[in-house]
Amino acid sequence: MTECTLSQEEKVYLLDVARSTLELYLKEGEYPKMKTDNVALNEKRGAFVTLKEKGDLRGCIGRIVADMSLYEVVATVSVDAAINDPRFAAVTYDDLENIEIEISVLTPFEKIKSFDEIEVGTHGLLIRKGFYSGLLLPQVPGEYGWDKKTFLEHLCRKAGLPISAYMQKDTAIYKFSAIVFNESSFSK
């Protein structure tokens, strides 16, 4: 796996990007103008932003294609998680005081050759079969107490596939890791 590290300052910066983007977008419908010379924050990476309201999921959207600077991806998917996650009502500006932001910065994807390569709690998974695909972040199985088989079954379900599709030869499964951090990690 490719190593990806972020300093505490870079994590705080990304959380600030997410929060300030949400505040401006939900209030005025605009994205803030941002720029940084920081090498790690300008690296093209995939990332997810998860929004929780009083501990409950309120939105989670990300980009797995590494075609934008990390800080730009965080800004973009912050808004998407707030207003475009079809599972939830859109977050409003007034909701923001009860929203906690979590960011997951992804490492590159690596196709697995054996299920033994998967470490539950360390790896997130991406499944692809035909036109179907689905992704679960590394922290998800731990939040629900899933073992490896349950993790793989839920991955299939998320992709709209039968729960045993992960065992079929024409199914591709990729593992990845993530640097996961949230606002409560830095609160005083």
Side-chain angles (χ1 to χ4, degrees):
M1 286 261 155
T2 302
E3 192 61 33
C4 173
T5 59
L6 292 172
S7 69
Q8 295 296 90
E9 294 78 20
E10 291 162 342
K11 292 175 184 177
V12 169
Y13 180 86
L14 290 173
L15 288 165
D16 184 55
V17 164
R19 174 72 56 187
S20 60
T21 299
L22 284 174
E23 287 172 354
L24 184 62
Y25 190 88
L26 295 176
K27 191 172 188 179
E28 300 177 20
E30 297 177 19
Y31 285 88
K33 291 180 178 25
M34 296 175 280
K35 189 170 172 112
T36 180
D37 293 328
N38 181 291
V39 173
L41 299 176
N42 274 296
E43 189 172 340
K44 292 183 177 176
R45 285 235 178 247
F48 277 72
V49 170
T50 303
L51 305 177
K52 292 188 178 177
E53 185 172 24
K54 298 179 180 172
D56 294 326
L57 184 62
R58 183 64 192 276
C60 180
I61 291 188
R63 263 181 97 81
I64 62 172
V65 178
D67 61 355
M68 297 170 69
S69 297
L70 178 56
Y71 77 94
E72 293 172 314
V73 170
V74 167
T76 301
V77 298
S78 295
V79 171
D80 286 343
I83 65 171
N84 292 326
D85 189 328
R87 300 171 292 177
F88 305 97
V91 173
T92 67
Y93 182 79
D94 291 336
D95 293 333
L96 284 178
E97 66 183 85
N98 294 315
I99 297 288
E100 178 173 16
I101 298 168
E102 177 179 272
I103 297 173
S104 302
V105 178
L106 309 183
T107 62
F109 293 87
E110 183 180 314
K111 189 172 183 179
I112 67 162
K113 295 173 184 75
S114 162
F115 297 123
D116 294 337
E117 296 175 48
I118 300 168
E119 295 177 36
V120 176
T122 299
H123 296 131
L125 298 176
L126 168 67
I127 189 170
R128 288 198 170 134
K129 180 178 173 66
F131 294 108
Y132 296 91
S133 68
L135 180 142
L136 289 171
L137 294 169
Q139 60 269 37
V140 171
E143 291 172 1
Y144 294 100
W146 296 341
D147 60 13
K148 190 181 300 185
K149 181 177 184 284
T150 306
F151 186 18
L152 287 161
E153 290 172 348
H154 278 276
L155 180 67
C156 291
R157 186 174 290 133
K158 177 121 188 235
L161 294 165
I163 62 170
S164 62
Y166 70 92
M167 295 186 282
Q168 298 170 354
K169 291 202 183 301
D170 62 339
T171 300
I173 299 175
Y174 302 83
K175 67 180 179 175
F176 63 94
S177 297
I179 300 172
V180 182
F181 51 98
N182 59 40
E183 290 175 312
S184 64
S185 304
F186 299 98
S187 59
K188 294 175 181 164

